[in-house]
Amino acid sequence: MRPHAISVLLLAGAAFLCRPILAEPHSPRPKIGIVLKGGGALGFAHVGVLKVLERNRVPIHFVVGTSMGAIVGAAYASGATLEKMHHTLSTTDWNALFGEKIYRENIDYRLKAGRGREIYGDAKFSFEEGKFVLPMGVVEGQNIRLLFQDLFGNPPTPVDFDSLPVPYRAVAADVETGEAYVPDKGDLATMVRASMSIPGAFSPVEIDGRLFVDGGITDNLPIDVAIKMGCDVIIVVDLQSELAKRKDLESPLAISGQMISLLLMQNSTLSRKLVRQQDIVIEPNVTGYGVSDFPKAIELMSIGEKTAEAAVGSFKHLSIPAGDYNHYLSARTGRTQPQQQIQFIRLKNRSHVTDSRIKELMRVKAGDLFDPDKIEEDVQRIYQSGHFTTVQYAVVKEGGDSGIEIDAAGKEWLEQYVRLGMAFEDNLERDDNFRLGAAFRTYGVTSLDSYFETQFELGKIPKFSAELYQPLTQDSPYFVAPMISITRSSLNVSDGDSIVAEYERTEGLAKAAIGRRISTMGEFTLDYTRGFGELERDIGDPSLQDFSSAVDDLGAPSDFQELSNLVSIPWSFGSNTIIIRNVFATTFGDRPIERLYSLGGFLNVSGTLQNSLPASNFDSGGVIYFRRFSDVQNPFFDLAFFAGGSFEMTTIHNDDPRFEDYTLINSGSVFVGADTPLLPVYLGFGISDIDEKSIYITFGRLSQSAR
C-alpha cells in the first residue's frame, strides 16, 4: 500500500518565501510563540490545541518544536491549513508509512532470492572486518519524507527558517556529543526528520557530516529556544502522560519510546522552570495512550482540542480583531504558486549503482512541468529496485533556475552480506533430505556494478559454487557471469520397480555465461559449460552384472548441447495468487550420466524427495495456488500467514535405459506457511501417482527449476 500521496505544487523562490508574520515594530501587541513538546503519536494533540487558538483568533508569530512537535510545528509554520493537517495526519496509513516495504516483483532480478533452486531467503546479514553490521535504525524514513513534503509544501532548499510564513525552529540532538542542534536554515523536511529520529527505531540523519537523532534527548520542551527567538509570550503545550506498562512494550518502537520517555521526563522538568509569569501552559492529558499509537490520531487531536477549550480563559486576552486575524491567516496559508517547469534534474548518487541505471528508472525529464505525483512515482520506482536505503527528492534553485535533486543513498551496510536457508524433507519411509546453506556476496569487485558470490550447502546434497557477475561496460545491460561449482548427490539405478544400486555422484562444472538483463523478472543467457563427473557405488552388490563394469564408463566424457527454459506467470486477486508455470530442458546428443538433470521435491514433482528423479530430458508444468489469510500489523516488519496447494504434471526421458522414463507423473501438494522477516517457512505434504509421498519443512525461497 502506498503512503499518503503528495498533491502539492512546486514552490519556487520568493513565491514561497512570503514575508514572515511578525508583530509590527511599533505595535503594542505581544509577539506570541508556541512550544510544541515531543512525544511520538501523543503529539497529535498539538493539532487540537492549534485549532482552538485559531478559533479564538490568537496569532502565532514563532513556532518551536521537538520530534512530533517539530512535525506539527513545521506544517503550521510553512502554511498548511489546520484542515489539511487534520486530514493528512488522520488518514495516513502509518504502518505502511513506517514499513517501507519493498515488493518482490520490483526488485532487480539479481537481488531476488530463489534463483537456480537456491534455498536462501531475502533476509541479508551484513558484516565488515569480521563483525556483523546492522542498520542504525529499523525505519530509514523513505516514506515519511514524502509525507513531510506534502505537509510542508516543498520550499526550495536550503530555506531560511525565519523566511517561512511563521518563523520556525526544530531541535535535534548530535548523537556524538549529545548537544542540541537548532539551525536557522537548511532543508526543512530533513531537519524535521532528524528531530523525530527515535534512536533504534529510526535511523539517525546526517547533516553536514554530523549524525542527529530525536531532539527530545536534549530538549524535549524547548522553551529556551523560544525565549532566544524573542517571544514576549510563550504558549507551552506540555503533554502529560505516564510510562508504558510491561504489557504494552511489544514492539521496537514501544521499547525505544519507553527509553526516550525516561529521558524526556527529566529534561522536560528542567525546561518547565523556564516558564515566565506571562507565559501560558496547556497540558493535554494523554495518559492511556502510547508514543506508537499513530492510528489513534483523531482521538489524540480531540484531547488537545478539549484541553485547550478548557484553558481559553488563560489566553483569551491574546485574541485580536477578526479583520486583523483574517489578514494574519491569509498571509500564513494563502500562498499560491503557478505550476513551474523543471529546468534541470540533478542526481546525487551515493550507491554502487551507476547513474545510468538510476536514470533508466526515471520517467520525469528536464522540461516537464513539476508534478509531485509523477516525481514520487519515480522516487519510489528507484527505491523499490532494492539497492537503496532511501531515495529522496528536493526542489532546488541554481542560478535562477528551478529544478529537482534526486538523492539516492545506497545500502552501505550491505556492500557485502550473507543470506541463509534451510530445508528438510521426509518421504515417511526410510529416506529424508536435509539442507543447510549460506550465500556470501560482495559488490564492487572489478567495477561499480559487479559482484562476487559464493554459496555453500551442507546435508545430503553438499554443494559449493562461486560466480562473478560483470557487466560488459559500466552502464551496459549485457554481462558475463563465469561460475564454478562442485556438487555431490545420490543417483539411483533401477531394475523395473526396484532400486538395485545407489551411486554417489560428484559433479564439477565451469561455466561461461553471457547474457542480457531484460527486466526485474528475468534475464537471457547463453552458457558454455565444461566439467567432470565421478560415480562411486554407495549401495548395491558389486557382482551384479553390468553394474561393476558400468562404473568405469558411466562418467565417460561427452560433448552435448542443451536447451532449457522456465516460464512462471503469477496472477493475484485480493488475497489470492495463482502461478502458472512450465519448465523444460532437452539435450541434443547423449547426456553423460554424471550430468543428468535432477528433479524431485516440494512443488517440483511433489511427493518425491529432492533430486531423486534423474532426467536427460524433461517437461514439467503446473498450477500453484496461494491464499494469504492473516497479517500481523506491524510497521517494522512483515509477518503474514498463507495456505495453498499445487497440481503438477511431469514427463521424464532418459537416454540410458538403466534410468527410468516416465510418460506422465501427476503430483500435487498442500501446504501452510508464514512469510517472516528472515525467511519464508513452509510446512507441506506432497503425493504423486508413482507411489511417492513426502512431508516438507522448508525455510527459504522456493524455486521451480531443476538442478
Side-chain angles (χ1 to χ4, degrees):
M1 181 181 297
R2 296 178 61 217
H4 189 85
I6 299 177
S7 58
V8 293
L9 299 178
L10 177 66
L11 309 178
F16 180 87
L17 304 178
C18 57
R19 187 184 179 198
I21 304 167
L22 300 172
E24 295 298 326
H26 302 294
S27 171
R29 293 173 182 164
K31 293 180 290 183
I32 303 168
I34 189 166
V35 172
L36 304 177
K37 185 179 182 179
L42 305 179
F44 288 135
H46 296 315
V47 177
V49 173
L50 289 169
K51 286 182 180 181
V52 176
L53 293 174
E54 183 173 287
R55 281 202 297 269
N56 286 274
R57 303 193 306 277
V58 175
I60 302 298
H61 305 105
F62 301 96
V63 179
V64 182
T66 298
S67 195
M68 181 57 82
I71 298 173
V72 173
Y76 187 89
S78 59
T81 66
L82 293 174
E83 291 77 12
K84 166 73 173 177
M85 293 164 64
H86 183 280
H87 175 77
T88 299
L89 296 175
S90 63
T91 59
T92 293
D93 184 340
W94 294 91
N95 282 340
L97 190 80
F98 293 145
E100 302 180 336
K101 181 175 181 179
I102 294 180
Y103 294 93
R104 183 173 169 80
E105 61 267 24
N106 298 326
I107 300 174
D108 274 1
Y109 179 68
R110 284 267 165 174
L111 285 180
K112 294 182 193 289
R115 297 182 299 111
R117 242 184 159 184
E118 62 181 23
I119 59 174
Y120 316 107
D122 290 313
K124 300 174 178 66
F125 304 90
S126 178
F127 64 93
E128 184 176 349
E129 297 180 354
K131 298 180 179 179
F132 278 100
V133 180
L134 297 175
M136 290 187 285
V138 178
V139 179
E140 295 289 350
Q142 169 65 23
N143 297 331
I144 201 166
R145 182 183 172 90
L146 300 176
L147 173 71
F148 291 167
Q149 288 172 307
D150 180 18
L151 281 172
F152 307 161
N154 276 314
T157 191
V159 62
D160 183 343
F161 297 156
D162 286 332
S163 297
L164 294 172
V166 179
Y168 169 78
R169 295 292 186 274
V171 181
D174 188 314
V175 75
E176 290 187 81
T177 66
E179 297 176 350
Y181 177 64
V182 189
D184 57 6
K185 60 180 177 294
D187 183 271
L188 183 60
T190 299
M191 184 57 211
V192 174
R193 168 68 178 82
S195 182
M196 52 79 65
S197 297
I198 300 174
F202 296 88
S203 292
V205 173
E206 182 177 344
I207 301 175
D208 297 331
R210 299 165 63 188
L211 285 179
F212 297 99
V213 295
D214 196 297
I217 293 176
T218 56
D219 198 355
N220 197 44
L221 191 63
I223 297 172
D224 57 326
V225 177
I227 292 174
K228 290 177 183 177
M229 292 183 76
C231 299
D232 296 321
V233 177
I234 302 173
I235 299 174
V236 179
V237 185
D238 187 2
L239 306 172
Q240 301 297 302
S241 63
E242 295 179 350
L243 294 174
K245 305 302 182 183
R246 170 66 181 84
K247 62 182 179 65
D248 299 320
L249 301 175
E250 297 178 345
S251 71
L253 184 57
I255 297 293
S256 296
Q258 184 81 331
M259 292 188 298
I260 295 299
S261 295
L262 292 169
L263 293 172
L264 304 189
M265 289 176 63
Q266 297 178 25
N267 71 50
S268 295
T269 300
L270 293 174
S271 295
R272 282 290 295 263
K273 295 179 180 180
L274 298 177
V275 174
R276 303 166 301 184
Q277 184 176 359
Q278 69 270 30
D279 296 335
I280 299 155
V281 179
I282 299 175
E283 299 178 311
N285 188 343
V286 288
T287 299
Y289 294 88
V291 295
S292 58
D293 280 335
F294 292 96
K296 299 179 180 179
I298 293 178
E299 297 175 37
L300 288 160
M301 291 179 197
S302 178
I303 291 173
E305 189 170 359
K306 291 176 181 178
T307 303
E309 285 285 6
V312 165
S314 64
F315 55 77
K316 190 67 175 177
H317 63 286
L318 299 175
S319 178
I320 62 176
D324 292 347
Y325 190 82
N326 289 338
H327 174 74
Y328 161 87
L329 193 61
S330 177
R332 187 183 76 78
T333 65
R335 61 176 187 260
T336 57
Q337 299 81 30
Q339 193 171 22
Q340 300 290 318
Q341 186 181 60
I342 301 172
Q343 295 167 303
F344 65 89
I345 298 176
R346 188 164 64 206
L347 178 60
K348 184 179 180 181
N349 183 5
R350 298 181 286 148
S351 74
H352 63 77
V353 182
T354 62
D355 289 0
S356 62
R357 286 285 303 279
I358 296 175
K359 290 176 181 177
E360 283 178 14
L361 299 171
M362 296 182 62
R363 305 292 180 265
V364 174
K365 308 295 181 184
D368 293 348
L369 290 178
F370 183 87
D371 186 330
D373 290 337
K374 291 182 178 179
I375 296 174
E376 181 192 347
E377 289 175 2
D378 279 359
V379 165
Q380 294 292 56
R381 189 180 300 111
I382 297 169
Y383 173 73
Q384 286 286 319
S385 70
H387 292 283
F388 304 96
T389 300
T390 57
V391 181
Q392 305 169 349
Y393 83 93
V395 177
V396 293
K397 299 283 288 183
E398 191 175 272
D401 292 335
S402 296
I404 59 173
E405 180 180 81
I406 305 294
D407 184 353
K411 295 180 177 179
E412 294 182 5
W413 61 280
L414 282 182
E415 291 299 316
Q416 52 184 11
Y417 61 80
V418 172
R419 292 178 294 138
L420 303 176
M422 183 171 67
F424 174 77
E425 303 169 357
D426 192 314
N427 67 356
L428 304 180
E429 294 179 1
R430 62 179 181 83
D431 297 319
D432 57 36
N433 183 5
F434 177 76
R435 301 169 67 193
L436 178 65
F440 167 73
R441 180 180 294 191
T442 181
Y443 281 94
V445 177
T446 61
S447 73
L448 290 178
D449 262 353
S450 68
Y451 69 76
F452 179 73
E453 180 167 286
T454 57
Q455 297 184 5
F456 304 85
E457 279 191 32
L458 301 175
K460 193 169 183 178
I461 310 173
K463 175 184 177 182
F464 168 79
S465 68
E467 179 187 37
L468 173 66
Y469 175 81
Q470 174 64 60
L472 294 182
T473 64
Q474 193 174 67
D475 300 326
S476 174
Y478 295 94
F479 62 87
V480 293
M483 184 186 75
I484 59 172
S485 68
I486 185 166
T487 305
R488 189 171 178 84
S489 60
S490 297
L491 185 66
N492 296 329
V493 179
S494 301
D495 182 9
D497 294 332
S498 302
I499 296 176
V500 296
E502 181 179 292
Y503 290 88
E504 289 296 327
R505 174 174 58 171
T506 302
E507 179 184 33
L509 299 176
K511 181 175 70 174
I514 184 169
R516 189 187 194 283
R517 184 180 72 249
I518 298 174
S519 71
T520 60
M521 300 305 294
E523 61 190 21
F524 173 79
T525 61
L526 291 174
D527 302 343
Y528 177 75
T529 304
R530 301 294 292 178
F532 70 89
E534 295 179 358
L535 290 171
E536 180 180 348
R537 182 185 289 109
D538 185 40
I539 300 174
D541 187 346
S543 65
L544 285 174
Q545 187 176 3
D546 295 332
F547 288 99
S548 59
S549 60
V551 178
D552 296 329
D553 62 354
L554 281 177
S558 176
D559 290 328
F560 63 93
Q561 294 78 44
E562 64 182 8
L563 176 66
S564 62
N565 189 43
L566 168 65
V567 177
S568 181
I569 303 173
W571 177 45
S572 296
F573 53 100
S575 298
N576 308 283
T577 298
I578 294 176
I579 300 175
I580 301 173
R581 59 96 174 173
N582 176 259
V583 55
F584 78 88
T586 186
T587 303
F588 303 101
D590 291 332
R591 190 178 189 92
I593 292 177
E594 76 277 2
R595 297 289 305 283
L596 292 178
Y597 294 107
S598 295
L599 284 77
F602 185 34
L603 304 183
N604 187 20
V605 194
S606 293
T608 62
L609 287 179
Q610 182 85 29
N611 292 347
S612 63
L613 298 173
S616 300
N617 310 278
F618 72 90
D619 189 0
S620 180
V623 178
I624 306 171
Y625 171 73
F626 292 85
R627 178 172 177 80
R628 195 178 181 109
F629 62 83
S630 178
D631 290 90
V632 175
Q633 295 296 320
N634 190 298
F636 300 103
F637 58 81
D638 292 321
L639 180 58
F641 298 92
F642 54 84
S646 69
F647 176 71
E648 306 140 43
M649 296 180 294
T650 306
T651 298
I652 292 176
H653 170 73
N654 280 292
D655 298 326
D656 193 301
R658 288 166 292 190
F659 299 96
E660 192 167 357
D661 292 341
Y662 295 93
T663 303
L664 180 64
I665 303 174
N666 294 303
S667 59
S669 68
V670 291
F671 55 84
V672 293
D675 199 357
T676 75
L678 298 180
L679 296 168
V681 180
Y682 297 84
L683 172 62
F685 173 76
I687 189 168
S688 71
D689 62 2
I690 57 173
D691 198 27
E692 295 277 357
K693 53 184 177 294
S694 293
I695 290 176
Y696 303 100
I697 301 175
T698 302
F699 298 81
R701 290 289 171 191
L702 298 174
S703 178
Q704 299 146 33
S705 61
R707 192 188 289 273

